[in-house]
Amino acid sequence: MLLTYVDESFTARVYWIGALMVPDAAAIPLSEALDAVVADAVKTFGVPVDVELHGYDIFHGRKGWTGVPPRARIAVYKAAMAAIGAQEDVAITLRGVKREQLVKRYAYPRPAHEVVLSHVLERVDGYAASREEYALVIADEVHDQAGHRADLDRYRVSGTGGYRSRKLTRIVDTLHFAPSHASRLVQAVDLVTFLFQRLDIPGTDPRAAVINEQLWALVEPRRYHSHCWNPMANQR
């Protein structure tokens, strides 16, 4: 079974959703490795014991990371990404949509989250099929959870739509939603997705861009698929 953790990260330009596909046997070791990253940060930097590994908060020194120096926060992010990248059977899928082009292309566009989630689920289903596995999807809590569950039911029967439409046959049960504070692996996909969207921000300070690339390199070998859809180009 592939435990598949899903979270979003977005700017005004692009809406991204990432999926971290974790074989069941790797889930506990990865969770424990991330617990160790937090325990070290608690001991070294005095952050709260219940601090979460959130990309935005770590990068900007918010919430439990307030007052922690930038170099220290980068070191924590690096340790977490290294823990994720060290799990050889973990796979990452990232899908995005260009938001302005989505609105321009369609008179009544579907919400960006709905569009991108369908693309992510296509890829998760395909990856699971290629490994002769099934996937259980656990997402960070979002608005309209019932609607997303209904969408999954429809995708099973009628397909995901578009020219790559796929009937989802390898995703079991329903979509499960979990609060990030209760799951290190939901936090893990948050870290991955937030960092990936930062690679795509125009005008990033060159020094910050170098750091972002160095951090991403730790999980790059685990990237299975990534693509940003431009609806005006009709390439998905």
Side-chain angles (χ1 to χ4, degrees):
M1 180 73 70
L2 295 171
L3 303 178
T4 302
Y5 297 87
V6 172
D7 197 15
E8 75 280 351
S9 188
F10 52 87
T11 64
R13 293 177 55 252
V14 182
Y15 199 106
W16 288 100
I17 295 180
L20 183 68
M21 295 175 280
V22 183
D24 50 11
I28 290 178
L30 179 52
S31 294
E32 290 177 343
L34 295 172
D35 283 342
V37 171
V38 171
D40 185 65
V42 170
K43 180 180 178 180
T44 307
F45 307 119
V47 298
V49 294
D50 60 349
V51 74
E52 294 184 44
L53 293 169
H54 273 305
Y56 181 87
D57 295 339
I58 295 174
F59 256 89
H60 296 286
R62 302 292 178 85
K63 296 185 178 179
W65 301 98
T66 301
V68 179
R71 287 184 179 273
R73 286 186 275 112
I74 292 169
V76 171
Y77 215 123
K78 181 178 180 180
M81 297 298 276
I84 297 167
Q87 296 292 330
E88 295 184 358
D89 291 334
V90 163
I92 296 167
T93 287
L94 298 133
R95 294 289 309 201
V97 65
K98 294 188 176 182
R99 304 178 76 176
E100 183 179 352
Q101 288 83 346
L102 180 65
V103 173
K104 286 182 178 179
R105 173 70 186 275
Y106 299 101
Y108 301 99
R110 295 159 62 200
H113 185 96
E114 180 183 324
V115 170
V116 181
L117 182 59
S118 71
H119 297 176
V120 166
L121 294 177
E122 285 175 355
R123 296 293 175 166
V124 169
D125 194 80
Y127 180 79
S130 73
R131 291 173 57 96
E132 298 184 348
E133 289 269 16
Y134 290 93
L136 182 71
V137 179
I138 304 109
D140 195 6
E141 292 183 316
V142 294
H143 176 68
D144 194 20
Q145 297 177 13
H148 294 310
R149 291 186 175 114
D151 288 342
L152 175 59
D153 290 340
R154 186 175 71 255
Y155 300 154
R156 288 190 172 114
V157 175
S158 306
T160 50
Y163 79 90
R164 290 197 76 259
S165 184
R166 179 186 181 94
K167 289 185 178 181
L168 305 184
T169 63
R170 311 300 293 193
I171 296 176
V172 303
D173 200 28
T174 186
L175 295 180
H176 295 267
F177 295 90
S180 61
H181 68 80
S183 172
R184 284 286 184 230
L185 298 184
V186 169
Q187 295 172 36
V189 72
D190 175 280
L191 293 172
V192 168
T193 309
F194 176 80
L195 180 61
F196 190 78
Q197 67 90 4
R198 284 187 63 86
L199 300 178
D200 185 51
I201 297 176
T204 300
D205 179 273
R207 293 168 297 180
V210 168
I211 292 170
N212 293 342
E213 293 286 354
Q214 289 173 343
L215 293 174
W216 182 258
L218 296 168
V219 297
E220 171 59 27
R222 308 295 162 241
R223 175 162 46 163
Y224 162 68
H225 168 80
S226 63
H227 180 69
C228 183
W229 179 39
N230 180 353
M232 297 300 289
N234 200 30
Q235 293 180 346
R236 215 181 89 192

